[in-house]
Amino acid sequence: MKKMQLAVFVSGGGSNLQAIIDAASSGKLDLDIALVLSNNANAYGLERARNSGIPTAVVNSKDFDSREEFIRAFLGTLEAHDVDFIALAGYLRKIPPELIQRFDGRIVNIHPGALPEFGGKGMFGIHVHEAVIESGRDNTAVTVHFVTEEYDEGAVIAVREVPVLPDDTPETLQARVLEVEHALYPEVLQSLAEKLRSQ
Ligand code: GAR
């Protein structure tokens, strides 16, 4: 049966993308990374993809004269690479409703905090860890969830708790959380790929 044709969307460094690439090349993750797409031509994640021979694309609404052209190009790029599932990995743009409709139930995101408490607009990357430390809580989480039209509101697929240590800074916490992300995301994608194949 056909393997999942995964597109990974990145805006920045792409360490989660690297974890997915590594899991796929070691055989832990049985899917094809069909495309790495970014809104940002300078995202280091694109370089990681190129280093592994994975096709890349940059799609940014600013490069189009109209929203219609942007959406057409976005959907066309995914179609051209036969994409059937999308994993957001530090992708910091809102997904247009047209994509959510086309890939209904087939877009997932990883979030470096507990939802809904540490989610929503403006809650991404280091801002999440700053808010967690500010809250005084002694634990945080990594959450993988389906993507809907609202930020961080889709059904949760998996949560893994991470301790907050008394002397943590946002940066040390971020590093500990990222390690958990790198283990969890490939695991969740593998179970989704198995499920998709058995449908
Ligand atoms: C990751 O921590 C990811 O969970 C987070 O951005 C970072 C990207 O790192 N995503 C969000 O905050 C989404 N709301 P990476 O580019 O090294 O994978």
Side-chain angles (χ1 to χ4, degrees):
M1 210 171 282
K2 196 176 158 221
K3 286 189 186 186
M4 179 190 271
Q5 300 297 304
L6 181 73
V8 184
F9 288 11
V10 297
S11 293
S15 69
N16 276 289
L17 166 66
Q18 191 65 55
I20 295 167
I21 292 173
D22 294 346
S25 56
S26 75
K28 277 190 213 148
L29 186 48
D30 191 17
L31 49 72
D32 292 330
I33 306 172
L35 178 69
V36 171
L37 180 144
S38 185
N39 57 301
N40 169 13
N42 298 318
Y44 184 61
L46 292 172
E47 186 77 30
R48 293 182 190 269
R50 286 191 286 265
N51 289 341
S52 296
I54 299 166
T56 62
V58 175
V59 181
N60 189 313
S61 55
K62 290 200 185 86
D63 298 333
F64 298 90
D65 292 332
S66 69
R67 188 167 188 287
E68 287 67 30
E69 283 176 45
F70 164 58
I71 298 296
R72 205 175 315 128
F74 212 153
L75 289 171
T77 302
L78 296 171
E79 211 164 286
H81 292 274
D82 207 17
V83 168
D84 58 20
F85 207 96
I86 297 169
L88 310 184
Y91 182 73
L92 302 178
R93 288 287 166 89
K94 209 162 179 184
I95 302 294
E98 292 87 344
L99 253 80
I100 292 176
Q101 280 149 25
R102 177 73 64 88
F103 291 90
D104 185 27
R106 290 168 179 238
I107 309 180
V108 296
N109 179 43
I110 190 158
H111 184 75
L115 293 176
E117 301 92 312
F118 294 96
K121 206 166 163 44
M123 274 291 199
F124 58 88
I126 198 76
H127 304 298
V128 177
H129 308 299
E130 285 164 356
V132 169
I133 288 181
E134 185 81 5
S135 76
R137 284 172 54 144
D138 62 5
N139 65 70
T140 182
V142 172
T143 309
V144 180
H145 63 95
F146 287 107
V147 173
T148 60
E149 290 186 27
E150 298 310 317
Y151 272 113
D152 300 330
E153 284 191 4
V156 169
I157 305 165
V159 181
R160 199 156 286 175
E161 275 199 18
V162 184
V164 179
L165 304 181
D167 55 357
D168 262 334
T169 62
E171 290 74 19
T172 60
L173 183 57
Q174 180 175 50
R176 188 171 323 108
V177 168
L178 270 174
E179 262 179 49
V180 175
E181 292 186 46
H182 298 162
L184 182 63
Y185 215 6
E187 268 176 40
V188 171
L189 289 170
Q190 175 61 17
S191 74
L192 290 167
E194 283 168 16
K195 219 177 273 174
L196 194 72
R197 218 176 297 181
S198 68
Q199 273 173 8

